[in-house]
Amino acid sequence: MNHPTILPPEGSGPADSSRVLPGGAECLTRGLLRKDQHRMRQVIMASQTAPAAVARNLTALADIAARWAPCAVHLAAVAPAPTDRERWLRFAALAAPGPRTGQGREYADVVYLANAVREFLHALGTEVTDGPAVTRLTDRLRAACARGDDGDHPPGFRVPVNALARTHKEPLHLVRRAVDRLIDEGILEQRGPLVRTRGSHALDSARAAHVAHRIHRQITAGVHPAGRPLPPDRVLAAHFVVGTDVTRDAVHALQHRHIISTDRTPQPPPAPPSPPPAPASPAPPACTTGDIQQGGGAGPFSAVPGLAAAARDAIGDWRYRKPVTRAQAEQRWALFLAMSRPLLGTDRSRPGPSQQAARVREAAGLPLPDERWWAVWHTAVLATALLDLRTALSVQEPRT
């Protein structure tokens, strides 16, 4: 898409930096633009209400607006987004201000028109300086979003504007202008303060279905026993590294399927046929924190070096949608499976570690999903469970 650029005069060699924009007269130079901006500041700072001064200022403002109106009309014709087009047309309309009657209304018109023309000239100067850079950045972001699931901005996921500025090494205001253009084109979606790629509604539904499936598996595995309500939404959200809105939708789906009751208590599964009674076995001795932390190789902590750092990296990669290849996800998944074995090797009778260990077994018992971003999420869920198990084993009063 063509965008306003600085063109050299006809028959000349290199581009003349004094030219401003195509669509205007040849006399419209950068120096004249700066001169008119200075004139705006003089008019705004002056508080002259005499009829002659008001008429003189209104005439000067109308002349300045009419001088640069062709540039606004040209920019509106080539604007890539509807909002930009409407903005430039609104600026072009300044060249034909409405009728003014009365001295007070005329002075108010001076102040209003001076601020409007100043905003126009500032936008025009910004377009001359940053317009080509914004167009190039918009094209790069559009191509990145077009790669879909194979790219770094899959459908429905958040697009962090600040991270984009760091990645592309561009000023933040240029990235925001490029993002605004893509929002107008429908490639990105603005949902509250967050910017996401198109398809965020479908992704939220899929994410809630994934979490509902995992909660159902945890109920079956005994992580959430019948008779005890589920943890609050914020706790479930921390376990599954999602937002509370996702866990809330997942819980509502399980309630609709009558897997949990309205008070968030798991329904007991149908009772199987009673097997013949087995001889009672002696209960294993209680495992204390001192027993865990003593004994050299018997303790789980010496056998899992680097667990905290690796888990935090995996969780951060999912939270901030950092580029992770499928091979990296598989390598990290195998690492966490190896780290889970020493933590699950010794029988624990305390309720806290037992519940966290059941979470780890449930997460590790599922295969790694084929989709790259769901594999990253699956790994982050296992990493969260391993961190919680490690914390439960290292404190006197385990977390429940």
Side-chain angles (χ1 to χ4, degrees):
M1 182 177 294
N2 293 329
H3 203 74
T5 55
I6 300 174
L7 297 178
E10 294 184 1
S12 65
D16 183 4
S17 61
S18 65
R19 285 297 302 274
V20 179
L21 288 171
E26 291 188 2
C27 62
L28 299 182
T29 62
R30 291 176 183 265
L32 182 58
L33 180 63
R34 289 192 294 267
K35 181 179 178 180
D36 286 343
Q37 288 176 323
H38 179 67
R39 175 60 175 156
M40 289 298 97
R41 289 192 292 269
Q42 289 179 332
V43 172
I44 292 174
M45 295 175 61
S47 58
Q48 299 175 354
T49 58
V54 169
R56 184 172 59 252
N57 288 334
L58 284 174
T59 301
L61 292 173
D63 290 343
I64 293 174
R67 181 181 302 132
W68 299 99
C71 295
V73 174
H74 176 81
L75 290 171
V78 299
T83 54
D84 290 338
R85 190 176 307 116
E86 295 172 0
R87 178 169 173 245
W88 291 118
L89 289 176
R90 176 169 55 86
F91 285 144
L94 296 174
R100 298 173 293 274
T101 58
Q103 179 177 346
R105 288 289 302 277
E106 289 178 349
Y107 178 69
D109 286 345
V110 169
V111 177
Y112 173 79
L113 186 59
N115 283 281
V117 175
R118 183 182 65 169
E119 181 186 356
F120 168 39
L121 296 185
H122 176 73
L124 188 60
T126 302
E127 187 66 27
V128 172
T129 305
D130 300 334
V134 174
T135 300
R136 291 193 299 269
L137 184 57
T138 303
D139 293 339
R140 292 207 303 266
L141 294 180
R142 188 186 296 109
C145 294
R147 286 195 288 269
D149 291 329
D150 296 331
D152 298 334
H153 306 297
F157 282 99
R158 178 187 172 192
V159 178
V161 179
N162 294 337
L164 285 178
R166 292 191 297 268
T167 302
H168 294 277
K169 297 180 180 179
E170 296 284 356
L172 184 58
H173 70 281
L174 297 185
V175 177
R176 284 175 176 165
R177 288 182 59 189
V179 167
D180 289 341
R181 289 185 181 181
L182 295 180
I183 291 175
D184 291 331
E185 294 178 17
I187 297 176
L188 300 181
E189 298 175 348
Q190 182 83 40
R191 300 191 61 187
L194 302 180
V195 177
R196 301 183 182 183
T197 48
R198 184 171 46 199
S200 58
H201 292 283
L203 177 68
D204 288 344
S205 299
R207 196 154 34 185
H210 276 74
V211 173
H213 173 68
R214 296 295 297 271
I215 295 177
H216 189 192
R217 277 182 52 91
Q218 290 185 356
I219 292 174
T220 305
V223 179
H224 308 297
R228 294 179 58 186
L230 293 177
D233 287 332
R234 58 180 178 80
V235 177
L236 291 176
H239 288 174
F240 293 105
V241 203
V242 292
T244 54
D245 55 338
V246 178
T247 56
R248 192 179 304 114
D249 292 342
V251 169
H252 289 168
L254 294 176
Q255 290 173 339
H256 182 72
R257 293 161 55 189
H258 304 289
I259 296 175
I260 60 177
S261 60
T262 55
D263 61 350
R264 301 169 60 95
T265 301
Q267 300 283 10
S274 301
S281 58
C287 183
T288 64
T289 305
D291 296 335
I292 296 174
Q293 296 177 347
Q294 293 178 358
F301 307 110
S302 59
V304 284
L307 170 61
R312 293 191 182 102
D313 288 343
I315 296 169
D317 288 348
W318 165 253
R319 283 192 184 277
Y320 301 104
R321 309 298 184 265
K322 296 180 181 179
V324 178
T325 64
R326 173 70 189 187
Q328 290 172 336
E330 293 177 350
Q331 182 180 6
R332 183 175 284 169
W333 178 253
L335 174 64
F336 286 137
L337 289 181
M339 289 180 170
S340 67
R341 296 188 187 100
L343 289 176
L344 299 173
T346 306
D347 183 26
R348 316 292 183 201
S349 61
R350 294 185 299 164
S354 298
Q355 186 179 15
Q356 308 302 344
R359 274 181 53 206
V360 173
R361 293 189 184 95
E362 182 274 330
L366 284 172
L368 195 65
D370 295 331
E371 296 83 359
R372 178 169 63 102
W373 286 104
W374 288 121
V376 177
W377 173 72
H378 196 54
T379 307
V381 173
L382 177 58
T384 305
L386 287 172
L387 277 183
D388 289 345
L389 176 59
R390 185 178 183 274
T391 303
L393 291 172
S394 62
V395 297
Q396 185 66 32
E397 293 295 332
R399 295 164 55 186
T400 57

